[in-house]
């Protein structure tokens, strides 16, 4: 729920910032929109989904999240932000750390535990 609340406004901000001629920001806004949609899919995943389907959604969530972080890093390297460069760089660092702590590490631990300790069916 937290991530859907954060990625919605972030996607709108990036879309507005990337609406100019900067292709890097347009790429970041498109990937952020994809992450927002996948986040909503993960949150709305019904309980009757199979375990495999939920694992696929989690894998997609991690892959698209890594794509967002990579796109932000590429935008930092290839764009000229002027005064906003420091703000965008700080936002990317905070986003990366927060995403790693709240999404990547917990899902990785859950997947490792499920892989090592399968349920008896």
């Amino acid at each position: 729920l937290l991530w859907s609340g954060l990625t919605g406004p972030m996607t709108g901000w990036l879309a507005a910032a990337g609406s100019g001629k900067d292709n890097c920001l347009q790429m970041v806004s498109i990937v952020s929109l994809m992450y927002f949609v996948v986040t909503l899919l993960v949150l709305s995943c019904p309980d009757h989904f199979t375990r495999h389907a939920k694992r696929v959604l989690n894998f997609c969530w991690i892959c698209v999240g890594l794509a967002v972080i990579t796109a932000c890093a590429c935008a930092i390297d290839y764009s000229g932000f002027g005064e906003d460069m420091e703000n965008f760089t700080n936002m990317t660092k905070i986003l990366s750390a927060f995403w790693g702590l709240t999404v990547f590490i917990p899902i990785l631990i859950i997947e490792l535990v499920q892989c090592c300790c399968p349920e008896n069916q």
Side-chain angles (χ1 to χ4, degrees):
L1 191 56
L2 176 67
W3 274 104
S4 63
L6 290 174
T7 55
M10 183 184 79
T11 300
W13 177 75
L14 288 170
S19 63
K21 298 178 181 179
D22 194 350
N23 291 335
C24 289
L25 278 180
Q26 289 175 351
M27 177 186 66
V28 172
S29 65
I30 290 169
V31 175
S32 295
L33 177 64
M34 289 173 30
Y35 186 72
F36 179 63
V37 169
V38 172
T39 300
L40 291 177
L41 285 173
V42 168
L43 289 173
S44 64
C45 178
D47 290 334
H48 68 273
F49 269 28
T50 64
R51 186 170 154 190
H52 177 70
K54 290 180 182 181
R55 290 180 82 183
V56 169
L57 272 177
N58 285 342
F59 181 73
C60 288
W61 200 26
I62 286 178
C63 289
V64 177
L66 288 172
V68 169
I69 291 171
T70 303
C72 287
C74 290
I76 289 170
D77 286 343
Y78 298 113
S79 293
F81 287 95
E83 293 178 7
D84 291 337
M85 178 63 164
E86 185 177 340
N87 292 336
F88 188 79
T89 303
N90 290 336
M91 184 201 72
T92 301
K93 289 176 185 177
I94 292 169
L95 172 73
S96 301
F98 189 68
W99 179 83
L101 291 173
T102 59
V103 175
F104 183 73
I105 291 174
I107 289 178
L108 181 67
I109 290 171
I110 289 169
E111 291 298 323
L112 288 175
V113 167
Q114 288 179 352
C115 181
C116 296
C117 305
E119 293 179 10
N120 294 329
Q121 295 185 10

